[in-house]
Amino acid sequence: MSKAKAKAKQVKGKLKETAGDAMGNKGMQTEGRSEQLTGKAQETAAKAAERLKKSGR
């Protein structure tokens, strides 16, 4: 996954978390936090892959 897609997933998760908070929907808040964490992990993996590619491995 590209860094841009991972960042988009983080933003989507933040929006979902905020909407859940505004509506008092704990499930939506949790789902939003989960999407944010998934996006961060994917972004980190994409960065690591870029570094490996740049180092020639």
Side-chain angles (χ1 to χ4, degrees):
M1 178 172 276
S2 71
K3 288 193 303 183
K5 286 183 180 180
K7 192 57 101 172
K9 187 167 199 141
Q10 290 176 51
V11 170
K12 179 183 170 192
K14 184 63 177 173
L15 290 172
K16 194 177 280 189
E17 179 185 7
T18 302
D21 187 37
M23 293 187 288
N25 185 333
K26 297 283 187 191
M28 187 180 260
Q29 287 176 315
T30 302
E31 192 175 322
R33 282 190 214 114
S34 175
E35 281 189 29
Q36 288 178 67
L37 292 173
T38 301
K40 286 179 185 179
Q42 290 170 341
E43 183 179 16
T44 301
K47 285 180 182 180
E50 279 183 14
R51 286 188 194 124
L52 281 174
K53 193 174 183 180
K54 284 181 183 178
S55 71
R57 293 184 182 186

